[in-house]
Amino acid sequence: MHQARITLDKDFTVAEVPRRLFGSFVEHLGRCVYTGIFEPGHPAADSQGFRQDVLELVREMGPSIIRYPGGNFVSGYNWEDGVGPVADRPVRLDGAWHSIETNAFGLHEFVEWSRRAGTEVMEAVNLGTRGVEEARALVEYANHSGGTYWSDLRRKNAAAVGLPEDPFGIKIWCLGNELDGPWQIGHKTAEEYGRLAQETAKAMRLVDPTIELVAVGSSGSGMPTFGTWEHTVLSHAYSEVDYISMHAYYQEHQGDVASFLAAGVEMDSFIDGVVATVDAVKAAGKHRKQVNIAFDEWNVWYLHSEEGAEPDQHAAAEWVEHPRLIEDTYSVTDAVVVGTLLNSLLRHGDRVKIANQAQLVNVIAPIRSEQGGPAWRQSSFWPFARMSQHARGQILSLAVESGKMHTKRYGDVDVVDAAATWDEHSGVCALFLANRDISALSEVQLRLNGLSPASVRSAEVLTIPADGDRHTANTEQDQSAVQLVPLDSVSIEESAVRIELPALSWAVVLLDVQNA
């Protein structure tokens, strides 16, 4: 058994919980759109072709903002192809994922789908093969009320597909995607991209001064240009942008489960490094405004198979429509890691103001669906859904003393990982806890300063099921193998709370508290 002691104080806060921290991502990749959120003819589809079974799960999961339409896809995408009468839209080759794009689903459809899902739109522009004028025109098309060429075209096209003519009101815009990566269509140096981002941002804001803009950061902390890329890009564009992006994916390598479970430690370090670079540019440029972070791609993604096996298929072998690509099945282990990544993002809510788990349906996703068949929750659905639902009010700064476990990649790390919020309005303190040890339970003692725990409102845990192991996952055949279950081992003793976490688990505990 491991021991952990956590102390919180209502006066030691990080920031208010940013609602955009619980974002997701829809890309024209594989079956995320087609047979994912959109499948005309499905028994659960409405008149627009939106799958209502998927929509219900999306609403339950609770993403606040969704990035669209890519991803690598956007760097070769002409947004005009996805508007207007569907019969008139061109069929294109998508070079990013070696697929055929029918354009049956485009901007109008996504905006309407988002309205029904209750999410905000985060739109990406193509700065790979296109540039300033196309981005400027897209903002006018999306956000201007009417009386101009592009805004009147929006109204005409909306009428053609039977959707509302009013402006989309998109506030968050990504200035391209992963342009530091040699794989990206239109790959650029930091100098090239920094100048392009600066000029594109200026032109877009001349159309709509109220928008917020995200500059492309490094595609990962392992990129050879990491750090210098952010510094160069922001040296050009700091005054014009509001956020710099971050991307990170994690997987278990060759059975090294301890390092995989400690992925949140690497995410913490990655965020701290980007914050330091942003603030160095701010100081050097004598800027007054604060650029923050949009962690607009993150997840568990099994990018490569084990040594000696064939690599995973990341692009279709033939030119076909919406092939099956990157449809990872997530286990209990993966869900616990996702929970710790969410904890990391929440702990950094003073600077990470937007985050998008990639992606929403089918493609490395918390929700799966089958063409003509059911939709179901993957194990990774649960930590996201509960944190989106319960993280409210102020993020608390925690003092954590935990037993350690050794990892090959990160050395000794805490067995117990934690994040917490306190909502003064509701009087609820929400604790998000993980036990990284795969075989031993952890006993947690929580002490509250300035707050008195009155009762346990609820306590749930995701862990290894009694009839399974750490690889247990939800599938089409068994959609409830991995669930949140009641956590009974929570007790209040005077001013302390005792929580017993099962081996390999992620838990959410809600406490009704009062001012002490």
Side-chain angles (χ1 to χ4, degrees), residues 392-410:
R392 293 287 190 274
Q394 294 293 319
I395 304 165
L396 296 172
S397 179
L398 304 181
V400 180
E401 301 174 40
S402 169
K404 306 294 183 183
M405 70 182 211
H406 183 73
T407 70
K408 293 179 182 178
R409 291 191 171 209
Y410 314 114

Side-chain angles (χ1 to χ4, degrees), residues 9-89:
D9 191 310
K10 72 167 188 176
D11 294 325
F12 286 81
T13 61
V14 175
E16 187 171 349
V17 177
R19 292 313 307 161
R20 289 170 172 165
L21 201 66
F22 309 111
S24 191
F25 182 25
V26 166
E27 181 175 0
H28 285 247
L29 191 178
R31 300 191 311 116
C32 185
V33 173
Y34 303 106
T35 74
I37 66 174
F38 177 74
E39 188 182 337
H42 188 279
D46 64 10
S47 60
Q48 293 294 330
F50 303 152
R51 285 189 57 160
Q52 296 303 296
D53 55 345
V54 173
L55 259 176
E56 288 175 8
L57 291 179
V58 171
R59 295 187 190 110
E60 179 187 351
M61 181 176 150
S64 55
I65 185 169
I66 299 182
R67 185 171 173 242
Y68 177 84
N72 293 351
F73 173 80
V74 78
S75 292
Y77 180 55
N78 299 332
W79 67 266
E80 302 94 327
D81 292 346
V83 301
V86 174
D88 296 340
R89 298 179 190 178

